[in-house]
Amino acid sequence: QQSYPTTNVFCTFETEADQRQVLTAYNLGSLDVRRNNTKCIVNEQHLFRGNLVLKVKEPDEPNTVRWQDLNAKWKERLKQQALTTLCTLVAIGLIAFLIRLLNNVEVQFAAYAIAITNGVFPVFAKFLTSLESHSSEGGKQRMLYFKIALFRWVNTAVVITLITPITSTLEEDSLIRQIDALFIAEIVTTNVIQLLDVMGHLDRHIFAPRAQTQDAMNLKMQGVPFELAERYTNMTKMYV
């Protein structure tokens, strides 16, 4: 027998009206809850053990709760997110330096380097986000979106602007040529990466027909898993 500390309590209700009634009764400010301001409670029966103010809020959907991370302290989460964000900034700096070197050689090289790194970085961002503690899948997706969006926006727009001299921005063979090469590179690399899908083709055409059971075959026929954060950044990176 082991004893575990209680960090969160989830309550279920028979009707939504009961849930709304409880949420209305405990609709308190975070400062009152932290200071345990019992005067903000109209009905004394709503105090826990007669002298404690409860922090009550509507939870996430059960299938989005990350149960193993509920006990993580906010200082630990902040430290983890700061370290992963620092790794993202370091990656941005290294890729920007590489793009500058390639741009001095040939504009097309820099454009394809931007497009390829935009497609590869989400894998690294997923690894960084997996090292963080999040109480819900929504929080995890927000941090993943932040990392990917920051990298792609800087990599796509900011770096090109910084490495192009201000006096050359309107010349035909300078910034306009770089943007044109970047659009072509994005169109080519994005579609090529999605069409290659090496593991997906192997699963569907090699491993699935040789599966021992129907369930095993169905698992091999599933598509490539994707993250909503990555899909949203795919829609926004070319509009920066």
Side-chain angles (χ1 to χ4, degrees), residues 2 43 93 108 132 134 154 178 202:
Q2 296 182 0
N43 191 344
Q108 282 77 9
E132 303 173 352
H134 296 281
V154 174
Q178 290 174 327
L202 289 176

PDB file of all heavy atoms in Angstrom, residues 2 43 93 108 132 134 154 178 202:
ATOM      1  N   GLN A   2       0.574   2.156  -0.885  1.00  0.00           N
ATOM      2  CA  GLN A   2       1.322   3.397  -0.978  1.00  0.00           C
ATOM      3  C   GLN A   2       0.379   4.578  -0.832  1.00  0.00           C
ATOM      4  O   GLN A   2      -0.796   4.493  -1.190  1.00  0.00           O
ATOM      5  CB  GLN A   2       2.067   3.484  -2.309  1.00  0.00           C
ATOM      6  CG  GLN A   2       3.136   2.407  -2.490  1.00  0.00           C
ATOM      7  CD  GLN A   2       3.886   2.570  -3.801  1.00  0.00           C
ATOM      8  OE1 GLN A   2       3.593   3.481  -4.562  1.00  0.00           O
ATOM      9  NE2 GLN A   2       4.834   1.679  -4.056  1.00  0.00           N
ATOM     10  N   ASN A  43     -21.554  31.841   0.946  1.00  0.00           N
ATOM     11  CA  ASN A  43     -22.063  30.742   1.764  1.00  0.00           C
ATOM     12  C   ASN A  43     -20.890  30.039   2.439  1.00  0.00           C
ATOM     13  O   ASN A  43     -20.004  29.504   1.754  1.00  0.00           O
ATOM     14  CB  ASN A  43     -22.858  29.763   0.899  1.00  0.00           C
ATOM     15  CG  ASN A  43     -23.634  28.756   1.725  1.00  0.00           C
ATOM     16  OD1 ASN A  43     -23.370  28.570   2.912  1.00  0.00           O
ATOM     17  ND2 ASN A  43     -24.603  28.109   1.106  1.00  0.00           N
ATOM     18  N   GLY A  93      19.684  30.275 -34.515  1.00  0.00           N
ATOM     19  CA  GLY A  93      20.943  30.961 -34.784  1.00  0.00           C
ATOM     20  C   GLY A  93      21.863  30.154 -35.694  1.00  0.00           C
ATOM     21  O   GLY A  93      22.473  30.703 -36.621  1.00  0.00           O
ATOM     22  N   GLN A 108      19.560  30.223 -54.675  1.00  0.00           N
ATOM     23  CA  GLN A 108      18.746  29.007 -54.670  1.00  0.00           C
ATOM     24  C   GLN A 108      19.159  28.049 -53.554  1.00  0.00           C
ATOM     25  O   GLN A 108      18.316  27.350 -52.978  1.00  0.00           O
ATOM     26  CB  GLN A 108      18.830  28.293 -56.025  1.00  0.00           C
ATOM     27  CG  GLN A 108      17.981  28.908 -57.115  1.00  0.00           C
ATOM     28  CD  GLN A 108      18.594  30.179 -57.696  1.00  0.00           C
ATOM     29  OE1 GLN A 108      19.745  30.506 -57.393  1.00  0.00           O
ATOM     30  NE2 GLN A 108      17.847  30.901 -58.514  1.00  0.00           N
ATOM     31  N   GLU A 132       8.946  18.272 -21.867  1.00  0.00           N
ATOM     32  CA  GLU A 132       8.235  19.195 -20.978  1.00  0.00           C
ATOM     33  C   GLU A 132       7.061  18.507 -20.297  1.00  0.00           C
ATOM     34  O   GLU A 132       6.538  17.496 -20.787  1.00  0.00           O
ATOM     35  CB  GLU A 132       7.740  20.403 -21.770  1.00  0.00           C
ATOM     36  CG  GLU A 132       8.829  21.164 -22.490  1.00  0.00           C
ATOM     37  CD  GLU A 132       8.271  22.248 -23.392  1.00  0.00           C
ATOM     38  OE1 GLU A 132       7.039  22.287 -23.559  1.00  0.00           O
ATOM     39  OE2 GLU A 132       9.054  23.025 -23.942  1.00  0.00           O
ATOM     40  N   HIS A 134       3.213  18.913 -19.240  1.00  0.00           N
ATOM     41  CA  HIS A 134       2.003  19.669 -19.552  1.00  0.00           C
ATOM     42  C   HIS A 134       0.808  18.938 -18.963  1.00  0.00           C
ATOM     43  O   HIS A 134       0.705  17.711 -19.068  1.00  0.00           O
ATOM     44  CB  HIS A 134       1.825  19.825 -21.064  1.00  0.00           C
ATOM     45  CG  HIS A 134       2.900  20.630 -21.712  1.00  0.00           C
ATOM     46  ND1 HIS A 134       2.930  21.999 -21.682  1.00  0.00           N
ATOM     47  CD2 HIS A 134       4.003  20.248 -22.407  1.00  0.00           C
ATOM     48  CE1 HIS A 134       4.003  22.442 -22.332  1.00  0.00           C
ATOM     49  NE2 HIS A 134       4.669  21.393 -22.774  1.00  0.00           N
ATOM     50  N   VAL A 154      11.003  33.152 -38.311  1.00  0.00           N
ATOM     51  CA  VAL A 154      12.342  33.744 -38.356  1.00  0.00           C
ATOM     52  C   VAL A 154      13.113  33.203 -39.548  1.00  0.00           C
ATOM     53  O   VAL A 154      13.775  33.945 -40.279  1.00  0.00           O
ATOM     54  CB  VAL A 154      13.095  33.466 -37.041  1.00  0.00           C
ATOM     55  CG1 VAL A 154      14.540  33.942 -37.143  1.00  0.00           C
ATOM     56  CG2 VAL A 154      12.408  34.162 -35.873  1.00  0.00           C
ATOM     57  N   GLN A 178      15.286  36.493 -54.152  1.00  0.00           N
ATOM     58  CA  GLN A 178      15.328  35.564 -53.018  1.00  0.00           C
ATOM     59  C   GLN A 178      13.931  35.066 -52.655  1.00  0.00           C
ATOM     60  O   GLN A 178      13.734  33.884 -52.361  1.00  0.00           O
ATOM     61  CB  GLN A 178      15.991  36.243 -51.827  1.00  0.00           C
ATOM     62  CG  GLN A 178      17.490  36.467 -52.004  1.00  0.00           C
ATOM     63  CD  GLN A 178      18.078  37.274 -50.865  1.00  0.00           C
ATOM     64  OE1 GLN A 178      17.412  38.145 -50.312  1.00  0.00           O
ATOM     65  NE2 GLN A 178      19.320  36.986 -50.518  1.00  0.00           N
ATOM     66  N   LEU A 202       6.211   1.736 -47.040  1.00  0.00           N
ATOM     67  CA  LEU A 202       6.627   0.404 -46.609  1.00  0.00           C
ATOM     68  C   LEU A 202       5.520  -0.286 -45.808  1.00  0.00           C
ATOM     69  O   LEU A 202       5.260  -1.479 -45.994  1.00  0.00           O
ATOM     70  CB  LEU A 202       7.904   0.506 -45.763  1.00  0.00           C
ATOM     71  CG  LEU A 202       9.187   0.866 -46.507  1.00  0.00           C
ATOM     72  CD1 LEU A 202      10.337   1.030 -45.524  1.00  0.00           C
ATOM     73  CD2 LEU A 202       9.527  -0.203 -47.541  1.00  0.00           C
TER      74      LEU A 202
END
